[in-house]
Amino acid sequence: MAGAGTVWLVTGANSGMGLEWVSQVLSLSNTTVVAAARPTDDFQDLSSLQHDFHSRLMIVEMELLDPSTVEETKLVQDAHPQGIDYLINNAGILGSYSDVAQQSIDDFKQVLLVNVVGTFCVTKSVLHLLRLGTKKTIVHISSNAASLSRNHAYIQQEGLTEANLALSYRASKVAINMETSVLANDLKAEGFTVVSLDPGDVSTGMWEYLLQNVYTETSGTQTRQPSLTPRQSVAAMLGLTLRLSTQQSGKFFLYDGQELPW
């Protein structure tokens, strides 16, 4: 069966999309998951999964910007000396999602530090384990908000759109896509596959925030609604991830496999 005998590391695994990744990967035969989440997060749902899957699920505390992350990877190495096959870089923050006038410098710094630098810290800390694995696959959970050509197209539209919002978040996801491209180039000789995936408009806590604070009747911004559940989005992304080859490395895909413009 697809996914047999593989080890997966999923960040931001305590809730939402990350928790769904953990659950669906464990539903495959002979898979093992290392679920990483911040020490301050609620581990109740992960603990419930661990009760069901026992040694197939390892829970580690991992703060993206904390040097102790490296210490946690030592625990992962001890548990999986054969290496890791898949890294799902899912962890990240939304930030203020404000217009330019309201965009604070502190928010900008924090979003870039967590989403960009933090993600790279995780990748770098486990790269030696990915080199030992058989699949050598890195998936960055990105967003259509990272598409420069898509954002540029909004300039020609009348009325307010969301294209003037969330500079910190958009910039961080653009940078994540560049991480994908740079890593794909750097690791191509070693047989790595590195991609960015847009999960689509998914009904998560992020969307609840947007519906309450951005897509309101008084904001004037064109309203959007989530079209996918976390289960639907992750099922599609998981299927796509299992089908990836080195020929697709360095690309940006929608959850359904459609290649997206940079």
Side-chain angles (χ1 to χ4, degrees), residues 5 17 21 35 55-56 79 89 108 122 128 134 140 162 165 168 170 185 197 201 230 234 252:
M17 300 289 288
W21 270 99
S55 61
R56 289 181 57 199
N89 273 320
F108 208 154
V122 173
H128 64 294
T134 58
H140 288 136
E162 62 179 302
L165 303 175
S168 57
R170 292 178 189 280
N185 276 284
L197 297 186
D201 295 337
V234 171
F252 182 21

Side-chain angles (χ1 to χ4, degrees), residues 8 20-28 31-33 56 238:
W8 300 63
E20 191 63 39
W21 270 99
V22 173
S23 178
Q24 291 200 29
V25 170
L26 286 170
S27 72
L28 302 174
T31 52
T32 302
V33 176
R56 289 181 57 199
L238 176 56

Side-chain angles (χ1 to χ4, degrees), residues 2-228:
T6 53
V7 179
W8 300 63
L9 171 58
V10 180
T11 66
N14 66 299
S15 64
M17 300 289 288
L19 183 65
E20 191 63 39
W21 270 99
V22 173
S23 178
Q24 291 200 29
V25 170
L26 286 170
S27 72
L28 302 174
S29 295
N30 297 323
T31 52
T32 302
V33 176
V34 179
R38 295 179 302 174
T40 56
D41 287 338
D42 182 359
F43 283 41
Q44 182 175 349
D45 291 331
L46 281 175
S47 296
S48 296
L49 281 174
Q50 193 172 52
H51 180 269
D52 295 333
F53 290 96
H54 306 290
S55 61
R56 289 181 57 199
L57 175 58
M58 178 183 183
I59 303 172
V60 297
E61 295 181 351
M62 189 175 290
E63 182 64 58
L64 267 61
L65 297 175
D66 190 332
S68 65
T69 291
V70 177
E71 297 177 8
E72 294 297 328
T73 58
K74 178 64 167 61
L75 298 177
V76 176
Q77 182 173 343
D78 290 343
H80 301 288
Q82 78 280 17
I84 294 172
D85 296 288
Y86 294 91
L87 169 60
I88 310 298
N89 273 320
N90 168 75
I93 59 176
L94 178 63
S96 65
Y97 219 90
S98 58
D99 62 16
V100 173
Q102 299 299 317
Q103 175 67 65
S104 76
I105 301 303
D106 286 342
D107 173 79
F108 208 154
K109 289 179 179 178
Q110 183 69 9
V111 173
L112 290 177
L113 278 173
V114 173
N115 292 1
V116 184
V117 180
T119 296
F120 179 67
C121 285
V122 173
T123 301
K124 188 174 182 181
S125 70
V126 299
L127 191 55
H128 64 294
L129 294 175
L130 286 162
R131 285 188 165 113
L132 294 173
T134 58
K135 300 300 183 180
K136 297 180 173 61
T137 299
I138 301 172
V139 173
H140 288 136
I141 301 303
S142 185
S143 168
N144 57 31
S147 175
L148 295 171
S149 55
R150 180 177 181 270
N151 212 63
H152 180 266
Y154 278 122
I155 298 174
Q156 308 304 322
Q157 295 188 20
E158 294 184 3
L160 289 174
T161 69
E162 62 179 302
N164 68 312
L165 303 175
L167 175 59
S168 57
Y169 181 74
R170 292 178 189 280
S172 75
K173 292 303 183 179
V174 171
I176 280 294
N177 283 356
M178 183 55 75
E179 281 191 25
T180 292
S181 182
V182 170
L183 286 167
N185 276 284
D186 189 67
L187 300 170
K188 62 184 178 182
E190 300 179 56
F192 272 74
T193 301
V194 190
V195 298
S196 288
L197 297 186
D198 169 20
D201 295 337
V202 187
S203 55
T204 60
M206 184 187 82
W207 264 99
E208 290 179 12
Y209 170 85
L210 294 178
L211 291 173
Q212 293 173 9
N213 297 278
V214 179
Y215 304 126
T216 63
E217 292 182 1
T218 59
S219 69
T221 303
Q222 296 174 7
T223 301
R224 291 168 56 198
Q225 293 287 339
S227 57
L228 297 165

